[in-house]
Amino acid sequence: MRQAYAPLLCALVGLASCVGIIGDSGDERAAAAAFAPAEPTLHRLTRPQIQNAWLDLFGKPLTIPADLPVDDVLYGFSSISAARSTIAPVDAEKYENATYVVLDQIFADPARRDALVGCPVTAVGEPCVKDFLASFTTRAWRRPASEEEVTSLQVLSAKVATDLEDEAQGLKFALAAVLLSPHFLFRVEVGEPGDGGYRYTGWEMASRLSFLLLDAPPDDTLREAARRGELATTEGVRAQASRLLDDPRARVTLTRFFRDFMNIGKLDALDKHPDKFPQLSATLGPSMRIEMERMFENNVFEKEGDFRDMFTTRDTYLNEDLARVYGIEGITGPEWTPVTLPDDGRRAGILTTPGFLALNAHKTQTSPTHRGRFVRLNMFCQDIPPPPPGINTTLPEPEPGKPTTLRQRLDEHRTNPECAGCHEQMDPIGFAFEKYDAIGAYRETDENGLPVDSTTVVDGHPVAGPIDMAELAASLPEVGACIARRFYEHAGAHLAGKGDKNSVEELVADFVASDYRFKDLVLGLVTNDGYRYASKPSQEVKP
């Protein structure tokens, strides 16, 4: 039956999409001015965001459809991917099916439906139903619905009600049109001229704040702040962001940033050879991820401490899965136990967690190159060029009967000048972590029984082993600057370009001045002009 009304739904979607849409700004244009923020864009709602939007509109209980488009990752973040995503036909079908799964739950219960509307749905033309349609659309689209838009929805509702001889079905199809509109499925943020630049509107800032910190639509307080124009000022934005940071949902949402930042979502599909690693279990990978996430939560929300402590802390959380990898006895079951690791020089901080070490290793063998590459790219924010075309990246095999360590083989590999440039940036960092095997367990000898050497030199700094490397990472100013930059990119859903240089530098300075407290980084970000302003769109797409 719903297919018969597809043309009408499409017409309404087309009406709702009459907005200026945007292209990517080029480097030359961005560099033309000292402050040239990114052009505005459309952000497709991620799975958590669309699920939270449904719950915001309809409340619990609500069975959330599972078959939704997958959230891809681009440049390390699902947020950046969402800003580059369109909706393919197969995804449009998934959204349509999911929308009716949600609406059917509401309309199958007349009492719940009428409670949502505010009156019995006896005629779609009644003022109560019209008022509900206007308020529902405003909440769903996260900005005031125009009179023309509401009238079009009423026309659809009335036609379906007449054709089906069912007033409630007429309203349901109108709500489906709202929920299948680009204004629901995307965060439409195009900005407006203001203060000599192109500034996001109060309604757009309400969405930017709420989805950044809660992965959910703006609440009543944020919407009221948008109506009153309070989100046009840094003071108003800071006040609302501070309030949202105290919401328990902020913990989940910011931890999701950390998951992307550390790429630890991949641990849920940990792939190691079971014969080589007796500690392996079906739940070990997720346990590794949760340990790292809990370390982040403890630093940011419990201690509200210096983020650099994440590299040196001996405080962590273990369950039986992880205790086996750590070699710690007395911890049984899946429950999480706070643990302070012994001061024996073996472990400290996130770079010595089994999760980081296992993720950046091969299936059966360690990889100083992978571990060093991650640190160089994601902790130092430094680029590593790909190997030249045609270069053989295979390590030399040891001579028969003369076993060598992986480090020795990498040292030999770096004698090739074409390989040395890149590997010199990665391998020395990774050598510091060679005392952990491919699953992150501590060792003094490798798989051949040869002693492991974890001494190294990183950018001129002598490093005695993993703890030294962790302390070096905590002390380097480029690491704190990289964390701030990556959060800027995650929040704005684009890589920082030349036009963002001043904004990023200002954010880094704020982070340093706050003694590297992550919550202060958030407040510095949302009040930063690079987050509140956009460049004028270079082109406008008309329907």
Side-chain angles (χ1 to χ4, degrees):
M1 177 62 69
R2 74 180 69 140
Q3 285 80 4
Y5 295 98
L8 278 170
L9 291 175
C10 289
L12 282 163
V13 167
L15 172 66
S17 61
C18 296
V19 294
I21 313 289
I22 46 257
D24 293 329
S25 58
D27 286 344
E28 293 182 1
R29 189 170 63 256
F35 174 58
E39 291 185 9
T41 188
L42 301 181
H43 305 248
R44 192 175 80 173
L45 297 191
T46 63
R47 278 188 171 191
Q49 290 170 351
I50 198 168
Q51 291 167 355
N52 288 333
W54 284 330
L55 287 168
D56 178 71
L57 290 168
F58 300 111
K60 296 180 178 180
L62 193 68
T63 300
I64 300 296
D67 187 21
L68 290 172
V70 174
D71 294 331
D72 295 322
V73 172
L74 182 63
Y75 302 120
F77 295 108
S78 55
S79 58
I80 296 180
S81 176
R84 305 286 185 92
S85 297
T86 57
I87 296 179
V90 64
D91 288 341
E93 290 182 9
K94 290 180 179 180
Y95 283 128
E96 181 183 18
N97 291 335
T99 296
Y100 282 102
V101 167
V102 169
L103 288 173
D104 287 346
Q105 295 176 63
I106 307 303
F107 281 78
D109 182 349
R112 184 176 182 182
R113 176 202 66 206
D114 293 347
L116 176 70
V117 175
C119 60
V121 185
T122 56
V124 294
E126 290 183 352
C128 173
V129 177
K130 179 181 179 180
D131 291 345
F132 163 73
L133 199 53
S135 63
F136 181 89
T137 306
T138 291
R139 289 180 62 200
W141 290 355
R142 302 173 290 276
R143 51 85 172 162
S146 70
E147 183 68 27
E148 180 185 9
E149 289 165 336
V150 175
T151 298
S152 297
L153 290 166
Q154 283 185 289
V155 170
L156 170 65
S157 184
K159 176 170 177 53
V160 175
T162 299
D163 290 350
L164 299 182
E165 298 181 352
D166 188 325
E167 298 294 317
Q169 287 298 303
L171 179 60
K172 184 172 82 170
F173 272 84
L175 297 190
V178 173
L179 298 179
L180 292 171
S181 161
H183 284 282
F184 177 74
L185 297 175
F186 290 83
R187 288 164 43 203
V188 180
E189 299 166 1
V190 296
E192 63 182 0
D195 294 343
Y198 224 76
R199 185 182 64 201
Y200 290 111
T201 70
W203 287 95
E204 291 166 348
M205 279 303 300
S207 282
R208 286 173 76 78
L209 287 175
S210 192
F211 282 113
L212 173 66
L213 300 181
L214 305 182
D215 264 342
D219 59 13
D220 290 340
T221 304
L222 259 179
R223 287 194 291 267
E224 185 58 30
R227 287 190 187 96
R228 293 197 298 259
E230 295 174 2
L231 300 182
T233 68
T234 55
E235 294 81 5
V237 169
R238 177 181 290 272
Q240 291 298 324
S242 296
R243 179 180 67 86
L244 296 180
L245 280 172
D246 290 333
D247 189 306
R249 292 174 293 173
R251 177 186 295 250
V252 177
T253 304
L254 291 179
T255 300
R256 193 169 287 120
F257 154 76
F258 180 73
R259 186 181 307 154
D260 278 358
F261 173 66
M262 294 298 297
N263 197 29
I264 54 179
K266 290 185 176 180
L267 286 170
D268 289 347
L270 180 68
D271 184 20
K272 302 293 178 182
H273 201 293
D275 294 339
K276 198 169 182 65
F277 303 107
Q279 310 98 319
L280 192 65
S281 70
T283 54
L284 179 59
S287 292
M288 289 177 170
R289 171 182 57 78
I290 293 170
E291 179 201 12
M292 298 179 73
E293 291 174 352
R294 288 205 166 199
M295 292 173 71
F296 172 80
E297 292 176 39
N298 183 51
N299 176 277
V300 175
F301 293 97
E302 271 84 45
K303 293 183 176 179
E304 297 193 11
D306 188 324
F307 191 82
R308 297 172 301 175
D309 291 345
M310 291 277 292
F311 295 98
T312 58
T313 182
R314 289 188 290 115
D315 294 333
T316 189
Y317 299 84
L318 304 182
N319 61 7
E320 184 175 359
D321 271 340
L322 282 168
R324 285 197 299 267
V325 179
Y326 275 89
I328 294 177
E329 298 180 354
I331 297 177
T332 59
E335 294 77 19
W336 291 93
T337 302
V339 172
T340 298
L341 299 174
D343 186 13
D344 57 7
R346 291 191 171 190
R347 293 188 194 266
I350 56 174
L351 296 183
T352 67
T353 58
F356 168 76
L357 299 161
L359 185 63
N360 295 286
H362 298 300
K363 189 171 183 177
T364 61
Q365 191 178 48
T366 67
S367 176
T369 301
H370 285 344
R371 290 170 177 175
R373 183 177 186 274
F374 183 93
V375 172
R376 182 69 69 181
L377 289 174
N378 297 280
M379 301 295 181
F380 295 177
C381 281
Q382 295 173 2
D383 291 331
I384 299 174
I391 291 296
N392 182 8
T393 59
T394 304
L395 294 183
E397 291 295 328
E399 295 181 29
K402 295 182 179 180
T404 58
T405 65
L406 179 58
R407 176 170 184 160
Q408 290 169 330
R409 294 166 65 196
L410 280 167
D411 284 341
E412 183 180 347
H413 188 60
R414 293 206 310 280
T415 60
N416 183 340
E418 293 181 301
C419 301
C422 295
H423 279 271
E424 286 292 349
Q425 298 297 308
M426 302 179 289
D427 296 354
I429 298 174
F431 290 151
F433 303 111
E434 269 296 89
K435 285 199 172 181
Y436 309 102
D437 66 16
I439 208 168
Y442 188 83
R443 63 184 186 170
E444 291 288 351
T445 58
D446 68 7
E447 57 272 13
N448 295 316
L450 300 174
V452 173
D453 180 9
S454 62
T455 61
T456 185
V457 177
V458 176
D459 297 346
H461 301 278
V463 173
I467 304 304
D468 257 15
M469 186 63 228
E471 291 175 350
L472 176 63
S475 69
L476 291 175
E478 52 261 49
V479 172
C482 184
I483 292 164
R485 180 189 183 93
R486 295 298 278 157
F487 188 66
Y488 181 94
E489 292 175 336
H490 158 74
H494 69 277
L495 293 181
K498 294 179 181 179
D500 295 294
K501 181 175 182 292
N502 291 347
S503 297
V504 172
E505 289 178 350
E506 180 183 337
L507 182 62
V508 171
D510 289 344
F511 193 33
V512 173
S514 75
D515 292 328
Y516 296 92
R517 286 188 294 271
F518 194 84
K519 282 189 175 182
D520 286 321
L521 173 64
V522 173
L523 296 177
L525 179 281
V526 298
T527 54
N528 188 290
D529 282 352
Y531 190 69
R532 297 175 56 240
Y533 285 81
S535 293
K536 183 178 180 179
S538 59
Q539 59 182 328
E540 187 172 87
V541 177
K542 297 182 178 180

